[in-house]
Amino acid sequence: MTTPNDRYVEVQQSAEFAGLRRKLRNFVFPMTVAFFLWYALYVLLSAYARGFMSVKLVGNINVALVLGLLQFVSTFLIAWYYSRYAAKELDPVADKIGADLAGTAVPAAREPQEATTTDTEAAK
């Protein structure tokens, strides 16, 4: 008789789970390094290139302000890109592994449908 613990160990040692972890690492590590380097560049420029960072671009807007705002933009872009990547590459595999572990079938991915008047009325 297999215990639930044995099933989890079996899944953890499976090639499918190893592939899922590899896909996650191949996304997360390079993206983390890239963002850290971008942030470190901003900090180093702020500390050691004050003349460059204080160059006015338009009115009172200088290079430091633009690069600082780009930090926020890059954070949101990375989060958006990760959510797309996870939905396409990671979630289907994770759902299959979870369903296999639970002993249920994975429902086929459905395309979103436009709401009809009957759907809207039924929801009320």
Side-chain angles (χ1 to χ4, degrees), residues 28-92:
V28 171
F29 289 151
M31 199 62 68
T32 301
V33 168
F35 183 78
F36 178 76
L37 291 174
W38 159 233
Y39 178 73
L41 174 68
Y42 175 71
V43 171
L44 290 172
L45 287 173
S46 296
Y48 298 109
R50 291 181 172 225
F52 170 70
M53 295 295 270
S54 65
V55 171
K56 296 202 185 259
L57 300 174
V58 177
N60 287 331
I61 298 174
N62 61 14
V63 173
L65 180 62
V66 171
L67 292 181
L69 292 174
L70 286 175
Q71 291 287 317
F72 289 101
V73 172
S74 63
T75 300
F76 288 113
L77 286 175
I78 290 170
W80 170 79
Y81 182 55
Y82 174 76
S83 71
R84 285 184 44 136
Y85 178 80
K88 182 180 176 188
E89 299 291 330
L90 303 176
D91 293 348

Side-chain angles (χ1 to χ4, degrees), residues 2-36:
T2 61
T3 65
N5 192 33
D6 294 337
R7 291 183 68 202
Y8 287 116
V9 170
E10 182 181 322
V11 167
Q12 183 183 17
Q13 294 173 347
S14 71
E16 194 171 35
F17 187 74
L20 178 64
R21 289 184 54 167
R22 188 173 32 261
K23 281 184 181 182
L24 178 65
R25 278 193 309 267
N26 287 343
F27 180 90
V28 171
F29 289 151
M31 199 62 68
T32 301
V33 168
F35 183 78
F36 178 76

